[in-house]
Amino acid sequence: MTAMTAHKTSALSVDGLVKTFDVSAPWLNRVVERKPRQYLQAVNDISFEVPLGGCLSLVGESGCGKSTVARLVTGLYRANSGEMRFAPGEDGKPLSAQMIFQDPYASLNPRWRVKNIIAEPIRELKLRNTAAEIDERVAELLKTVGLSASDGDKFPHEFSGGQRQRISIARALASEPRFLVCDEPTSALDVSVQAQVLNLMRRLQDEFGLTYLFISHDMSVVRHMSDRIAVMYLGRIVEEGETEELFAKPRHPYTQMLLQTIPNIEKPHRDRVVAAGEVPSPLKPPSGCTFHPRCPMATAQCARELPAVRTLASGTRVACHLVQDA
Ligand SMILES: Nc1ncnc2c1ncn2[C@@H]1O[C@H](COP(=O)(O)OP(=O)(O)OP(=O)(O)O)[C@@H](O)[C@H]1O
Ligand code: SF4
Ligand SMILES: [Mg+2]
């Protein structure tokens, strides 16, 4: 990985992050069946910067390590190695990240009224003193996300998927975070509802100066949300760059493949290469460039050598033996 300079305008700098899971069979099976211990490298030496007040998106197929990065950044997992540096907030303390999950139903307590779900972090962090102040703040948060104060008296099951995700967002905002990690926040929603929730998230970003680390497997969603995009493949970032640059001039063959799978609204039946082949198991990653078994441009060198990450003149970072800086 390239050495990283701490950016003055980065909310978060991540350098050489590694997360390995022990996925060995139980002890008895290992002894009886002579199975060795087995490790899965879910995040493999990744580095990125999240611009302060901006949005970096992680994109890639299922299992490439996106949620593991989200859990490392929010402190739900500990990294095996690597560094994470959060910029200081207004109070001088490092920013901490709040998480918004894909399934808003699973992350909201079904037995609590919505107003109590949203009030919990306010009470916990002592952000308001009296019950009246807390009620007022909850009503304000509900309106901020496009719901009404009276919705606070209802239970999560009384809402649609999109409304439940608005409640999750209100709850995340209740702790007054500056940094939100959003793990596929709209993937479970219908397309029209998805657009509404994404627009809400953009508006909130402007209104409160929020920083987002946004995760999705959907290139059209990340295009709408991001200043920069990092494309992940089998635990590594293979290309990272400014959104417009990445869409106009995708450099890595895998990024090109992902972009070809976006449905084209004008020409829905045009010929397009559908992501060829299966993602290999991260338990047995291919040698060299791990994308080589699926890569239409692979050479003998690709099967042997892991390509280093290089920074091009455009500022895009890419890991591929064949990419020229032109
Ligand atoms: N707690 C865990 N224990 C063992 N393996 C895990 C664990 N969490 C994730 N993995 C494995 O690590 C790899 C990366 O998983 P991760 O959930 O980060 O991928 P993802 O990109 O978020 O995928 P998806 O798009 O399906 O959500 C996968 O192979 C997954 O099976
Ligand atoms: S290094 Fe080789 S296999 Fe990997 S993406 Fe580049 S051309 Fe394809
Ligand atoms: Mg995930």
Side-chain angles (χ1 to χ4, degrees), residues 18 216 288 295 300 324:
V18 173
S216 178
C295 182
Q324 305 292 326

Side-chain angles (χ1 to χ4, degrees), residues 61-68 70-71 102 183-184 215 217:
E61 287 161 291
S62 183
C64 69
K66 306 178 297 292
S67 296
T68 304
R71 295 203 154 94
Q102 173 174 352
D183 190 356
E184 308 259 14
I215 290 170
H217 61 275

Side-chain angles (χ1 to χ4, degrees), residues 4-278:
M4 278 209 329
T5 44
H7 224 251
K8 232 196 275 169
T9 51
S10 290
L12 169 65
S13 301
V14 168
D15 195 5
L17 208 60
V18 173
K19 178 67 188 171
T20 305
F21 293 109
D22 183 345
V23 291
S24 310
W27 173 80
L28 192 59
N29 297 53
R30 287 208 312 275
V31 174
V32 176
E33 298 162 29
R34 295 173 187 273
K35 281 188 178 159
R37 272 197 174 279
Q38 219 178 2
Y39 297 94
L40 184 151
Q41 194 120 21
V43 170
N44 199 342
D45 187 15
I46 75 170
S47 303
F48 59 83
E49 307 251 343
V50 186
L52 190 63
C55 175
L56 171 79
S57 290
L58 303 178
V59 66
E61 287 161 291
S62 183
C64 69
K66 306 178 297 292
S67 296
T68 304
V69 174
R71 295 203 154 94
L72 289 165
V73 167
T74 47
L76 294 170
Y77 288 154
R78 269 178 74 102
N80 295 71
S81 58
E83 248 190 83
M84 290 194 289
R85 289 188 300 274
F86 288 92
E90 281 123 24
D91 56 3
K93 288 191 231 146
L95 293 178
S96 65
Q98 274 292 320
M99 184 112 149
I100 297 177
F101 296 93
Q102 173 174 352
D103 181 353
Y105 203 53
S107 58
L108 299 174
N109 188 332
R111 285 183 297 271
W112 284 19
R113 287 184 202 280
V114 163
K115 63 182 176 194
N116 291 329
I117 292 174
I118 299 174
E120 193 191 24
I122 305 174
R123 292 200 186 98
E124 197 87 358
L125 298 167
K126 301 193 172 47
L127 296 172
R128 295 293 186 279
N129 299 317
T130 64
E133 280 172 2
I134 294 175
D135 285 351
E136 199 182 318
R137 175 68 176 144
V138 170
E140 181 185 57
L141 285 163
L142 282 166
K143 284 185 213 145
T144 301
V145 298
L147 297 171
S148 68
S150 59
D151 285 327
D153 291 318
K154 299 183 191 161
F155 290 93
H157 72 256
E158 296 177 67
F159 294 89
S160 67
Q163 289 169 325
R164 284 202 290 261
Q165 199 52 296
R166 287 172 192 266
I167 297 166
S168 303
I169 294 169
R171 183 187 149 89
L173 292 177
S175 59
E176 300 176 15
R178 299 296 310 281
F179 190 163
L180 290 180
V181 177
C182 316
D183 190 356
E184 308 259 14
T186 62
S187 306
L189 307 176
D190 293 342
V191 176
S192 62
V193 181
Q194 231 185 78
Q196 290 164 14
V197 174
L198 292 172
N199 285 335
L200 168 69
M201 292 183 67
R202 292 217 45 166
R203 182 168 64 70
L204 296 175
Q205 183 176 25
D206 289 344
E207 208 169 310
F208 301 112
L210 299 172
T211 297
Y212 289 150
L213 176 61
F214 192 88
I215 290 170
S216 178
H217 61 275
D218 184 333
M219 283 303 249
S220 37
V221 167
V222 298
R223 182 175 204 172
H224 184 71
M225 292 300 292
S226 340
D227 300 295
R228 299 184 72 86
I229 295 174
V231 178
M232 290 185 68
Y233 191 75
L234 280 178
R236 294 181 187 274
I237 292 177
V238 294
E239 179 163 2
E240 191 268 344
E242 211 200 307
T243 302
E244 283 319 308
E245 175 74 19
L246 194 116
F247 272 82
K249 225 176 166 190
R251 308 303 296 265
H252 196 282
Y254 180 59
T255 312
Q256 292 167 359
M257 188 186 267
L258 284 182
L259 288 177
Q260 279 164 346
T261 62
I262 299 182
N264 185 329
I265 295 165
E266 285 102 49
K267 291 184 258 166
H269 301 299
R270 88 194 147 126
D271 288 338
R272 58 191 169 93
V273 186
V274 176
E278 297 267 311

Side-chain angles (χ1 to χ4, degrees), residues 295-307:
C295 182
M297 289 151 74
T299 63
Q301 182 195 16
C302 301
R304 269 194 328 263
E305 283 172 40
L306 178 70

